[in-house]
């Protein structure tokens, strides 16, 4: 039985309005950090999401979805509308996004110290709420390990140079960073994504995970790279695939005792076969998610089954 880890995820919820040609719109609970929290809870962990949810239909839908999945939701009580995104899918299930988002998160007192903190996406770079996120991460990182996923949304990133600076500041605060090759290509146009991840590694993280869609994933470590291929899957859509990869990776790291202050030393000098195991769990989690509609990550039994098929 994998170790149960107390996770705090800080970040946005988004109502994903999924649009397919010739079909009625479908509303799915989403938002990258919210998806990660949901994925962790489905994998048997204690997950708390610190976020903002409006007093509207989308907010009630997302709150119920997270509660049903076992996520404890904490908010700052702000009455802003729940963020939304129109997700347009092409014929191969690839998603593009148009956002209507405000992020004004204020400080919220915590009643316990988490073992691990995850953040990323809009919440870590959009002011004024990003200042609250970074202050919380900075205050918690001595007693907790930190993970970060930039989950770049170009339409919301503002000035490119300023966005790169904000992302790099988050990377430097983190122990584990995950980014897609598309994220890295936007941040560093024309540069090799894995090479960019190797530069990130020198600024603070113990490991940087780079996802490459159908080509698999790469873990960048101080002593080199570990790679795995993507698991075969019949793709319905890619919504939430990267978030499922992240929750699957954190689940595996927890099982290996590599999270929390006590696990940081092991995380800083991991065995290569252990890192390969982390990547396989993450890839299997993503494969389950892309095979069904919306951000719908696996539970423990589904993840074990996917690993067995892979």
């Amino acid at each position: 039985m994998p170790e149960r880890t107390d996770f705090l995820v800080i970040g946005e919820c988004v109502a994903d309005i999924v649009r397919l040609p010739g079909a009625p719109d479908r509303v799915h609970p989403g938002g990258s950090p919210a998806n990660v929290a949901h994925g962790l809870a489905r994998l048997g962990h204690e997950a708390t999401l610190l976020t903002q949810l409006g007093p509207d239909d989308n907010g009630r839908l997302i709150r119920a979805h997270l509660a049903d999945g076992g996520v404890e939701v904490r908010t700052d009580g702000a009455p802003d509308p729940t963020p939304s995104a129109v997700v347009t899918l092409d014929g191969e299930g690839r998603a593009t996004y148009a956002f209507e988002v405000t992020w004004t998160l204020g400080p919220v007192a915590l009643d316990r110290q988490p073992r691990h903190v995850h953040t990323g996406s809009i919440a870590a770079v959009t002011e004024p709420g990003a200042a609250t996120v970074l202050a919380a991460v900075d205050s918690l990182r001595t007693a907790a390990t930190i993970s970060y996923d930039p989950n770049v949304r170009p339409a919301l990133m503002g000035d490119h140079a300023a966005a790169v600076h904000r992302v790099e500041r988050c990377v430097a605060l983190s122990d584990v960073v995950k980014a897609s090759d598309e994220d890295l290509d936007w941040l560093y146009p024309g540069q090799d994504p894995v090479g960019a991840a190797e530069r990130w590694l020198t600024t603070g993280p113990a490991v940087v995970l780079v996802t490459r869609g159908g080509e698999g994933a790469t873990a960048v470590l101080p002593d080199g790279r570990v790679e795995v291929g993507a698991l075969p899957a019949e793709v319905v859509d890619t919504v939430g695939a990267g978030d499922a990869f992240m929750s699957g990776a954190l689940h595996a790291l927890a099982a290996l005792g590599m999270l929390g202050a006590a696990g940081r030393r092991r995380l800083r000098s991991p065995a290569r076969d252990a890192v390969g195991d982390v990547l396989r769990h993450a890839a299997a989690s993503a494969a389950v998610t892309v095979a069904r509609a919306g951000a719908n990550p696996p539970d423990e039994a589904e993840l074990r089954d996917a690993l067995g098929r892979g």
Side-chain angles (χ1 to χ4, degrees):
M1 180 79 176
E3 178 185 0
R4 287 177 62 83
T5 297
D6 180 12
F7 287 92
L8 173 66
V9 180
I10 310 174
E12 74 275 4
C13 294
V14 178
D16 288 334
I17 303 167
V18 179
R19 185 162 294 165
L20 278 165
D25 289 350
R26 305 191 312 271
V27 180
H28 293 290
S32 178
N35 292 341
V36 173
H38 186 232
L40 289 167
R42 284 182 59 80
L43 291 170
H45 299 283
E46 298 176 9
T48 299
L49 176 67
L50 176 55
T51 190
Q52 291 183 300
L53 283 170
D56 48 33
D57 288 345
N58 286 339
R60 286 185 284 273
L61 172 72
I62 293 172
R63 187 183 289 273
H65 164 76
L66 292 169
D68 288 347
V71 178
E72 179 184 346
V73 178
R74 300 282 300 275
T75 74
D76 65 355
D80 297 329
T82 301
S84 63
V86 175
V87 185
T88 303
L89 301 174
D90 66 16
E92 297 181 3
R94 291 186 296 254
T96 57
Y97 296 81
F99 293 93
E100 187 171 334
V101 173
T102 58
W103 180 246
T104 61
L105 184 72
V108 177
L110 300 173
D111 54 11
R112 64 183 184 273
Q113 170 70 52
R115 184 174 299 176
H116 184 85
V117 179
H118 174 76
T119 192
S121 195
I122 298 164
V125 296
T126 301
E127 298 296 357
T132 300
V133 175
L134 291 181
V137 168
D138 197 41
S139 69
L140 293 167
R141 64 194 293 259
T142 299
T145 40
I146 308 296
S147 57
Y148 170 64
D149 176 3
N151 191 45
V152 168
R153 297 293 181 236
L156 300 174
M157 299 298 284
D159 176 75
H160 184 268
V164 171
H165 174 74
R166 291 193 297 269
V167 167
E168 290 178 342
R169 180 175 55 176
C170 295
V171 168
L173 290 171
S174 302
D175 298 284
V176 179
V177 177
K178 171 257 167 189
S180 70
D181 52 1
E182 293 179 347
D183 293 335
L184 291 160
D185 186 59
W186 187 87
L187 291 164
Y188 309 107
Q191 299 183 28
D192 171 48
V194 177
E198 288 174 334
R199 290 195 299 278
W200 277 1
L201 196 70
T202 66
T203 68
V207 58
V208 179
L209 308 176
V210 180
T211 59
R212 296 178 284 111
E215 296 182 7
T218 301
V220 178
L221 306 167
D223 64 349
R225 305 176 181 179
V226 177
E227 298 190 0
V228 299
L231 272 66
E234 186 172 338
V235 176
V236 173
D237 67 50
T238 61
V239 177
D243 306 322
F245 183 99
M246 186 80 247
S247 58
L250 293 174
H251 174 68
L253 287 167
L256 292 166
M258 291 184 176
L259 298 183
R264 185 173 271 127
R265 181 176 296 178
R266 287 188 291 277
L267 181 62
R268 292 278 159 182
S269 55
R272 295 176 68 85
D273 59 347
V275 175
D277 185 60
V278 170
L279 287 177
R280 285 187 291 274
H281 276 75
S285 182
V288 172
T289 302
V290 301
R292 50 201 190 189
N296 188 357
D299 61 21
E300 291 179 271
E302 291 170 327
L303 182 58
R304 284 195 301 270
D305 184 59
L307 286 165
R309 294 196 309 270

PDB file of all heavy atoms in Angstrom, residues 142-177:
ATOM      1  N   THR A 142      10.572  24.849   3.885  1.00  0.00           N
ATOM      2  CA  THR A 142      11.533  24.232   4.796  1.00  0.00           C
ATOM      3  C   THR A 142      11.022  22.884   5.301  1.00  0.00           C
ATOM      4  O   THR A 142      11.773  21.908   5.378  1.00  0.00           O
ATOM      5  CB  THR A 142      11.815  25.156   5.996  1.00  0.00           C
ATOM      6  OG1 THR A 142      12.360  26.380   5.504  1.00  0.00           O
ATOM      7  CG2 THR A 142      12.807  24.502   6.951  1.00  0.00           C
ATOM      8  N   ALA A 143       9.737  22.804   5.610  1.00  0.00           N
ATOM      9  CA  ALA A 143       9.155  21.587   6.174  1.00  0.00           C
ATOM     10  C   ALA A 143       8.458  20.720   5.133  1.00  0.00           C
ATOM     11  O   ALA A 143       8.016  19.618   5.450  1.00  0.00           O
ATOM     12  CB  ALA A 143       8.165  21.953   7.273  1.00  0.00           C
ATOM     13  N   ALA A 144       8.333  21.202   3.909  1.00  0.00           N
ATOM     14  CA  ALA A 144       7.650  20.449   2.850  1.00  0.00           C
ATOM     15  C   ALA A 144       8.459  20.526   1.568  1.00  0.00           C
ATOM     16  O   ALA A 144       9.143  21.522   1.316  1.00  0.00           O
ATOM     17  CB  ALA A 144       6.249  21.023   2.612  1.00  0.00           C
ATOM     18  N   THR A 145       8.384  19.468   0.779  1.00  0.00           N
ATOM     19  CA  THR A 145       8.918  19.548  -0.578  1.00  0.00           C
ATOM     20  C   THR A 145       7.917  20.299  -1.452  1.00  0.00           C
ATOM     21  O   THR A 145       6.720  20.369  -1.150  1.00  0.00           O
ATOM     22  CB  THR A 145       9.186  18.151  -1.144  1.00  0.00           C
ATOM     23  OG1 THR A 145       8.131  17.255  -0.756  1.00  0.00           O
ATOM     24  CG2 THR A 145      10.519  17.611  -0.669  1.00  0.00           C
ATOM     25  N   ILE A 146       8.420  20.852  -2.564  1.00  0.00           N
ATOM     26  CA  ILE A 146       7.622  21.714  -3.442  1.00  0.00           C
ATOM     27  C   ILE A 146       7.686  21.178  -4.866  1.00  0.00           C
ATOM     28  O   ILE A 146       8.767  20.807  -5.344  1.00  0.00           O
ATOM     29  CB  ILE A 146       8.159  23.160  -3.439  1.00  0.00           C
ATOM     30  CG1 ILE A 146       8.309  23.715  -2.015  1.00  0.00           C
ATOM     31  CG2 ILE A 146       7.272  24.061  -4.306  1.00  0.00           C
ATOM     32  CD1 ILE A 146       7.022  23.864  -1.255  1.00  0.00           C
ATOM     33  N   SER A 147       6.554  21.148  -5.549  1.00  0.00           N
ATOM     34  CA  SER A 147       6.552  20.861  -6.981  1.00  0.00           C
ATOM     35  C   SER A 147       5.844  21.988  -7.723  1.00  0.00           C
ATOM     36  O   SER A 147       4.990  22.683  -7.170  1.00  0.00           O
ATOM     37  CB  SER A 147       5.900  19.516  -7.298  1.00  0.00           C
ATOM     38  OG  SER A 147       4.569  19.448  -6.805  1.00  0.00           O
ATOM     39  N   TYR A 148       6.201  22.117  -9.006  1.00  0.00           N
ATOM     40  CA  TYR A 148       5.721  23.243  -9.818  1.00  0.00           C
ATOM     41  C   TYR A 148       5.562  22.792 -11.260  1.00  0.00           C
ATOM     42  O   TYR A 148       6.417  22.084 -11.806  1.00  0.00           O
ATOM     43  CB  TYR A 148       6.717  24.397  -9.729  1.00  0.00           C
ATOM     44  CG  TYR A 148       6.471  25.527 -10.706  1.00  0.00           C
ATOM     45  CD1 TYR A 148       5.314  26.294 -10.629  1.00  0.00           C
ATOM     46  CD2 TYR A 148       7.388  25.837 -11.704  1.00  0.00           C
ATOM     47  CE1 TYR A 148       5.083  27.332 -11.523  1.00  0.00           C
ATOM     48  CE2 TYR A 148       7.172  26.879 -12.595  1.00  0.00           C
ATOM     49  CZ  TYR A 148       6.013  27.620 -12.503  1.00  0.00           C
ATOM     50  OH  TYR A 148       5.775  28.643 -13.389  1.00  0.00           O
ATOM     51  N   ASP A 149       4.457  23.201 -11.865  1.00  0.00           N
ATOM     52  CA  ASP A 149       4.200  22.959 -13.287  1.00  0.00           C
ATOM     53  C   ASP A 149       3.783  24.286 -13.911  1.00  0.00           C
ATOM     54  O   ASP A 149       2.701  24.790 -13.615  1.00  0.00           O
ATOM     55  CB  ASP A 149       3.080  21.929 -13.453  1.00  0.00           C
ATOM     56  CG  ASP A 149       2.685  21.703 -14.913  1.00  0.00           C
ATOM     57  OD1 ASP A 149       3.306  22.295 -15.813  1.00  0.00           O
ATOM     58  OD2 ASP A 149       1.730  20.927 -15.143  1.00  0.00           O
ATOM     59  N   PRO A 150       4.618  24.881 -14.775  1.00  0.00           N
ATOM     60  CA  PRO A 150       4.252  26.189 -15.340  1.00  0.00           C
ATOM     61  C   PRO A 150       2.972  26.152 -16.170  1.00  0.00           C
ATOM     62  O   PRO A 150       2.259  27.152 -16.242  1.00  0.00           O
ATOM     63  CB  PRO A 150       5.465  26.568 -16.191  1.00  0.00           C
ATOM     64  CG  PRO A 150       6.202  25.294 -16.422  1.00  0.00           C
ATOM     65  CD  PRO A 150       5.954  24.437 -15.230  1.00  0.00           C
ATOM     66  N   ASN A 151       2.701  25.014 -16.839  1.00  0.00           N
ATOM     67  CA  ASN A 151       1.449  24.863 -17.600  1.00  0.00           C
ATOM     68  C   ASN A 151       1.146  26.145 -18.368  1.00  0.00           C
ATOM     69  O   ASN A 151       0.103  26.771 -18.192  1.00  0.00           O
ATOM     70  CB  ASN A 151       0.303  24.508 -16.653  1.00  0.00           C
ATOM     71  CG  ASN A 151      -0.956  24.068 -17.402  1.00  0.00           C
ATOM     72  OD1 ASN A 151      -0.884  23.288 -18.344  1.00  0.00           O
ATOM     73  ND2 ASN A 151      -2.093  24.581 -16.986  1.00  0.00           N
ATOM     74  N   VAL A 152       2.054  26.540 -19.227  1.00  0.00           N
ATOM     75  CA  VAL A 152       2.019  27.851 -19.880  1.00  0.00           C
ATOM     76  C   VAL A 152       0.733  28.045 -20.674  1.00  0.00           C
ATOM     77  O   VAL A 152       0.344  27.194 -21.487  1.00  0.00           O
ATOM     78  CB  VAL A 152       3.247  28.010 -20.798  1.00  0.00           C
ATOM     79  CG1 VAL A 152       3.093  29.232 -21.699  1.00  0.00           C
ATOM     80  CG2 VAL A 152       4.513  28.112 -19.962  1.00  0.00           C
ATOM     81  N   ARG A 153       0.091  29.166 -20.439  1.00  0.00           N
ATOM     82  CA  ARG A 153      -1.072  29.609 -21.211  1.00  0.00           C
ATOM     83  C   ARG A 153      -0.697  30.950 -21.835  1.00  0.00           C
ATOM     84  O   ARG A 153      -0.832  32.000 -21.198  1.00  0.00           O
ATOM     85  CB  ARG A 153      -2.306  29.737 -20.311  1.00  0.00           C
ATOM     86  CG  ARG A 153      -2.742  28.410 -19.684  1.00  0.00           C
ATOM     87  CD  ARG A 153      -3.238  27.457 -20.747  1.00  0.00           C
ATOM     88  NE  ARG A 153      -3.689  26.187 -20.227  1.00  0.00           N
ATOM     89  CZ  ARG A 153      -3.208  25.010 -20.623  1.00  0.00           C
ATOM     90  NH1 ARG A 153      -2.231  24.972 -21.526  1.00  0.00           N
ATOM     91  NH2 ARG A 153      -3.689  23.890 -20.142  1.00  0.00           N
ATOM     92  N   PRO A 154      -0.201  30.950 -23.089  1.00  0.00           N
ATOM     93  CA  PRO A 154       0.329  32.181 -23.685  1.00  0.00           C
ATOM     94  C   PRO A 154      -0.598  33.375 -23.608  1.00  0.00           C
ATOM     95  O   PRO A 154      -0.144  34.511 -23.388  1.00  0.00           O
ATOM     96  CB  PRO A 154       0.600  31.763 -25.139  1.00  0.00           C
ATOM     97  CG  PRO A 154       0.911  30.302 -25.048  1.00  0.00           C
ATOM     98  CD  PRO A 154      -0.021  29.787 -23.981  1.00  0.00           C
ATOM     99  N   ALA A 155      -1.899  33.155 -23.758  1.00  0.00           N
ATOM    100  CA  ALA A 155      -2.845  34.276 -23.756  1.00  0.00           C
ATOM    101  C   ALA A 155      -2.898  34.989 -22.415  1.00  0.00           C
ATOM    102  O   ALA A 155      -3.362  36.138 -22.340  1.00  0.00           O
ATOM    103  CB  ALA A 155      -4.239  33.780 -24.126  1.00  0.00           C
ATOM    104  N   LEU A 156      -2.420  34.338 -21.350  1.00  0.00           N
ATOM    105  CA  LEU A 156      -2.489  34.919 -20.010  1.00  0.00           C
ATOM    106  C   LEU A 156      -1.127  35.293 -19.446  1.00  0.00           C
ATOM    107  O   LEU A 156      -1.042  35.764 -18.308  1.00  0.00           O
ATOM    108  CB  LEU A 156      -3.170  33.930 -19.047  1.00  0.00           C
ATOM    109  CG  LEU A 156      -4.606  33.533 -19.397  1.00  0.00           C
ATOM    110  CD1 LEU A 156      -5.097  32.452 -18.446  1.00  0.00           C
ATOM    111  CD2 LEU A 156      -5.536  34.737 -19.357  1.00  0.00           C
ATOM    112  N   MET A 157      -0.077  35.091 -20.207  1.00  0.00           N
ATOM    113  CA  MET A 157       1.275  35.246 -19.652  1.00  0.00           C
ATOM    114  C   MET A 157       1.796  36.670 -19.715  1.00  0.00           C
ATOM    115  O   MET A 157       2.767  37.000 -19.036  1.00  0.00           O
ATOM    116  CB  MET A 157       2.252  34.315 -20.377  1.00  0.00           C
ATOM    117  CG  MET A 157       1.921  32.843 -20.249  1.00  0.00           C
ATOM    118  SD  MET A 157       1.951  32.222 -18.553  1.00  0.00           S
ATOM    119  CE  MET A 157       3.713  32.103 -18.265  1.00  0.00           C
ATOM    120  N   GLY A 158       1.178  37.529 -20.531  1.00  0.00           N
ATOM    121  CA  GLY A 158       1.638  38.913 -20.608  1.00  0.00           C
ATOM    122  C   GLY A 158       2.984  39.028 -21.307  1.00  0.00           C
ATOM    123  O   GLY A 158       3.331  38.233 -22.191  1.00  0.00           O
ATOM    124  N   ASP A 159       3.765  40.037 -20.911  1.00  0.00           N
ATOM    125  CA  ASP A 159       5.069  40.284 -21.508  1.00  0.00           C
ATOM    126  C   ASP A 159       5.948  39.040 -21.386  1.00  0.00           C
ATOM    127  O   ASP A 159       6.069  38.454 -20.307  1.00  0.00           O
ATOM    128  CB  ASP A 159       5.732  41.464 -20.796  1.00  0.00           C
ATOM    129  CG  ASP A 159       7.142  41.715 -21.299  1.00  0.00           C
ATOM    130  OD1 ASP A 159       7.288  42.244 -22.412  1.00  0.00           O
ATOM    131  OD2 ASP A 159       8.094  41.333 -20.576  1.00  0.00           O
ATOM    132  N   HIS A 160       6.581  38.655 -22.496  1.00  0.00           N
ATOM    133  CA  HIS A 160       7.315  37.383 -22.519  1.00  0.00           C
ATOM    134  C   HIS A 160       8.477  37.382 -21.542  1.00  0.00           C
ATOM    135  O   HIS A 160       8.648  36.426 -20.762  1.00  0.00           O
ATOM    136  CB  HIS A 160       7.821  37.101 -23.940  1.00  0.00           C
ATOM    137  CG  HIS A 160       8.506  35.770 -24.080  1.00  0.00           C
ATOM    138  ND1 HIS A 160       9.861  35.615 -23.920  1.00  0.00           N
ATOM    139  CD2 HIS A 160       8.000  34.535 -24.329  1.00  0.00           C
ATOM    140  CE1 HIS A 160      10.174  34.339 -24.080  1.00  0.00           C
ATOM    141  NE2 HIS A 160       9.070  33.664 -24.328  1.00  0.00           N
ATOM    142  N   ALA A 161       9.285  38.408 -21.546  1.00  0.00           N
ATOM    143  CA  ALA A 161      10.454  38.437 -20.658  1.00  0.00           C
ATOM    144  C   ALA A 161      10.026  38.407 -19.188  1.00  0.00           C
ATOM    145  O   ALA A 161      10.638  37.709 -18.372  1.00  0.00           O
ATOM    146  CB  ALA A 161      11.299  39.678 -20.947  1.00  0.00           C
ATOM    147  N   ALA A 162       8.976  39.150 -18.864  1.00  0.00           N
ATOM    148  CA  ALA A 162       8.494  39.150 -17.483  1.00  0.00           C
ATOM    149  C   ALA A 162       7.940  37.781 -17.109  1.00  0.00           C
ATOM    150  O   ALA A 162       8.128  37.305 -15.981  1.00  0.00           O
ATOM    151  CB  ALA A 162       7.424  40.224 -17.308  1.00  0.00           C
ATOM    152  N   ALA A 163       7.258  37.127 -18.054  1.00  0.00           N
ATOM    153  CA  ALA A 163       6.709  35.795 -17.787  1.00  0.00           C
ATOM    154  C   ALA A 163       7.824  34.792 -17.532  1.00  0.00           C
ATOM    155  O   ALA A 163       7.739  33.961 -16.618  1.00  0.00           O
ATOM    156  CB  ALA A 163       5.845  35.339 -18.956  1.00  0.00           C
ATOM    157  N   VAL A 164       8.878  34.847 -18.327  1.00  0.00           N
ATOM    158  CA  VAL A 164      10.013  33.942 -18.126  1.00  0.00           C
ATOM    159  C   VAL A 164      10.615  34.158 -16.740  1.00  0.00           C
ATOM    160  O   VAL A 164      10.932  33.195 -16.021  1.00  0.00           O
ATOM    161  CB  VAL A 164      11.078  34.139 -19.233  1.00  0.00           C
ATOM    162  CG1 VAL A 164      12.345  33.363 -18.900  1.00  0.00           C
ATOM    163  CG2 VAL A 164      10.516  33.699 -20.578  1.00  0.00           C
ATOM    164  N   HIS A 165      10.751  35.414 -16.341  1.00  0.00           N
ATOM    165  CA  HIS A 165      11.301  35.710 -15.015  1.00  0.00           C
ATOM    166  C   HIS A 165      10.425  35.119 -13.919  1.00  0.00           C
ATOM    167  O   HIS A 165      10.938  34.533 -12.951  1.00  0.00           O
ATOM    168  CB  HIS A 165      11.426  37.223 -14.839  1.00  0.00           C
ATOM    169  CG  HIS A 165      11.852  37.638 -13.460  1.00  0.00           C
ATOM    170  ND1 HIS A 165      13.144  37.488 -13.000  1.00  0.00           N
ATOM    171  CD2 HIS A 165      11.137  38.171 -12.427  1.00  0.00           C
ATOM    172  CE1 HIS A 165      13.208  37.912 -11.745  1.00  0.00           C
ATOM    173  NE2 HIS A 165      12.012  38.329 -11.383  1.00  0.00           N
ATOM    174  N   ARG A 166       9.105  35.259 -14.047  1.00  0.00           N
ATOM    175  CA  ARG A 166       8.204  34.733 -13.025  1.00  0.00           C
ATOM    176  C   ARG A 166       8.281  33.217 -12.951  1.00  0.00           C
ATOM    177  O   ARG A 166       8.302  32.622 -11.865  1.00  0.00           O
ATOM    178  CB  ARG A 166       6.766  35.187 -13.311  1.00  0.00           C
ATOM    179  CG  ARG A 166       6.519  36.673 -13.117  1.00  0.00           C
ATOM    180  CD  ARG A 166       5.040  36.999 -13.097  1.00  0.00           C
ATOM    181  NE  ARG A 166       4.389  36.681 -14.354  1.00  0.00           N
ATOM    182  CZ  ARG A 166       4.245  37.531 -15.370  1.00  0.00           C
ATOM    183  NH1 ARG A 166       4.724  38.773 -15.263  1.00  0.00           N
ATOM    184  NH2 ARG A 166       3.624  37.167 -16.474  1.00  0.00           N
ATOM    185  N   VAL A 167       8.320  32.573 -14.118  1.00  0.00           N
ATOM    186  CA  VAL A 167       8.419  31.107 -14.138  1.00  0.00           C
ATOM    187  C   VAL A 167       9.732  30.657 -13.511  1.00  0.00           C
ATOM    188  O   VAL A 167       9.763  29.719 -12.693  1.00  0.00           O
ATOM    189  CB  VAL A 167       8.282  30.588 -15.579  1.00  0.00           C
ATOM    190  CG1 VAL A 167       8.694  29.115 -15.675  1.00  0.00           C
ATOM    191  CG2 VAL A 167       6.852  30.755 -16.079  1.00  0.00           C
ATOM    192  N   GLU A 168      10.827  31.305 -13.866  1.00  0.00           N
ATOM    193  CA  GLU A 168      12.132  30.900 -13.332  1.00  0.00           C
ATOM    194  C   GLU A 168      12.209  31.109 -11.825  1.00  0.00           C
ATOM    195  O   GLU A 168      12.877  30.335 -11.120  1.00  0.00           O
ATOM    196  CB  GLU A 168      13.234  31.669 -14.052  1.00  0.00           C
ATOM    197  CG  GLU A 168      13.400  31.220 -15.502  1.00  0.00           C
ATOM    198  CD  GLU A 168      14.450  32.009 -16.256  1.00  0.00           C
ATOM    199  OE1 GLU A 168      14.829  33.115 -15.792  1.00  0.00           O
ATOM    200  OE2 GLU A 168      14.885  31.540 -17.325  1.00  0.00           O
ATOM    201  N   ARG A 169      11.517  32.107 -11.314  1.00  0.00           N
ATOM    202  CA  ARG A 169      11.479  32.305  -9.861  1.00  0.00           C
ATOM    203  C   ARG A 169      10.783  31.123  -9.184  1.00  0.00           C
ATOM    204  O   ARG A 169      11.226  30.632  -8.142  1.00  0.00           O
ATOM    205  CB  ARG A 169      10.745  33.610  -9.542  1.00  0.00           C
ATOM    206  CG  ARG A 169      10.643  33.936  -8.065  1.00  0.00           C
ATOM    207  CD  ARG A 169      10.010  35.300  -7.841  1.00  0.00           C
ATOM    208  NE  ARG A 169       8.716  35.431  -8.493  1.00  0.00           N
ATOM    209  CZ  ARG A 169       7.924  36.491  -8.391  1.00  0.00           C
ATOM    210  NH1 ARG A 169       8.316  37.546  -7.690  1.00  0.00           N
ATOM    211  NH2 ARG A 169       6.757  36.529  -8.998  1.00  0.00           N
ATOM    212  N   CYS A 170       9.700  30.634  -9.785  1.00  0.00           N
ATOM    213  CA  CYS A 170       8.992  29.476  -9.233  1.00  0.00           C
ATOM    214  C   CYS A 170       9.843  28.216  -9.329  1.00  0.00           C
ATOM    215  O   CYS A 170       9.862  27.395  -8.396  1.00  0.00           O
ATOM    216  CB  CYS A 170       7.674  29.270  -9.966  1.00  0.00           C
ATOM    217  SG  CYS A 170       6.470  30.590  -9.744  1.00  0.00           S
ATOM    218  N   VAL A 171      10.526  28.053 -10.438  1.00  0.00           N
ATOM    219  CA  VAL A 171      11.405  26.892 -10.615  1.00  0.00           C
ATOM    220  C   VAL A 171      12.455  26.845  -9.509  1.00  0.00           C
ATOM    221  O   VAL A 171      12.730  25.794  -8.919  1.00  0.00           O
ATOM    222  CB  VAL A 171      12.071  26.930 -11.999  1.00  0.00           C
ATOM    223  CG1 VAL A 171      13.200  25.911 -12.105  1.00  0.00           C
ATOM    224  CG2 VAL A 171      11.040  26.690 -13.103  1.00  0.00           C
ATOM    225  N   ALA A 172      13.050  27.991  -9.199  1.00  0.00           N
ATOM    226  CA  ALA A 172      14.121  28.051  -8.206  1.00  0.00           C
ATOM    227  C   ALA A 172      13.640  27.706  -6.803  1.00  0.00           C
ATOM    228  O   ALA A 172      14.441  27.280  -5.958  1.00  0.00           O
ATOM    229  CB  ALA A 172      14.762  29.436  -8.215  1.00  0.00           C
ATOM    230  N   LEU A 173      12.342  27.852  -6.531  1.00  0.00           N
ATOM    231  CA  LEU A 173      11.789  27.527  -5.218  1.00  0.00           C
ATOM    232  C   LEU A 173      11.413  26.053  -5.087  1.00  0.00           C
ATOM    233  O   LEU A 173      11.043  25.605  -4.005  1.00  0.00           O
ATOM    234  CB  LEU A 173      10.537  28.366  -4.952  1.00  0.00           C
ATOM    235  CG  LEU A 173      10.733  29.862  -4.719  1.00  0.00           C
ATOM    236  CD1 LEU A 173       9.374  30.563  -4.690  1.00  0.00           C
ATOM    237  CD2 LEU A 173      11.477  30.115  -3.419  1.00  0.00           C
ATOM    238  N   SER A 174      11.521  25.296  -6.174  1.00  0.00           N
ATOM    239  CA  SER A 174      10.912  23.968  -6.240  1.00  0.00           C
ATOM    240  C   SER A 174      11.936  22.844  -6.147  1.00  0.00           C
ATOM    241  O   SER A 174      13.097  22.999  -6.531  1.00  0.00           O
ATOM    242  CB  SER A 174      10.120  23.827  -7.543  1.00  0.00           C
ATOM    243  OG  SER A 174       9.127  24.827  -7.639  1.00  0.00           O
ATOM    244  N   ASP A 175      11.456  21.693  -5.666  1.00  0.00           N
ATOM    245  CA  ASP A 175      12.241  20.459  -5.664  1.00  0.00           C
ATOM    246  C   ASP A 175      11.977  19.629  -6.914  1.00  0.00           C
ATOM    247  O   ASP A 175      12.880  18.970  -7.429  1.00  0.00           O
ATOM    248  CB  ASP A 175      11.894  19.624  -4.428  1.00  0.00           C
ATOM    249  CG  ASP A 175      12.218  20.337  -3.135  1.00  0.00           C
ATOM    250  OD1 ASP A 175      13.400  20.407  -2.790  1.00  0.00           O
ATOM    251  OD2 ASP A 175      11.281  20.836  -2.473  1.00  0.00           O
ATOM    252  N   VAL A 176      10.737  19.617  -7.370  1.00  0.00           N
ATOM    253  CA  VAL A 176      10.325  18.855  -8.550  1.00  0.00           C
ATOM    254  C   VAL A 176       9.614  19.809  -9.501  1.00  0.00           C
ATOM    255  O   VAL A 176       8.692  20.524  -9.091  1.00  0.00           O
ATOM    256  CB  VAL A 176       9.361  17.700  -8.180  1.00  0.00           C
ATOM    257  CG1 VAL A 176       8.924  16.940  -9.433  1.00  0.00           C
ATOM    258  CG2 VAL A 176      10.001  16.763  -7.177  1.00  0.00           C
ATOM    259  N   VAL A 177      10.041  19.834 -10.746  1.00  0.00           N
ATOM    260  CA  VAL A 177       9.403  20.667 -11.761  1.00  0.00           C
ATOM    261  C   VAL A 177       8.997  19.769 -12.923  1.00  0.00           C
ATOM    262  O   VAL A 177       9.758  18.887 -13.333  1.00  0.00           O
ATOM    263  CB  VAL A 177      10.344  21.778 -12.264  1.00  0.00           C
ATOM    264  CG1 VAL A 177       9.679  22.581 -13.381  1.00  0.00           C
ATOM    265  CG2 VAL A 177      10.738  22.700 -11.121  1.00  0.00           C
TER     266      VAL A 177
END
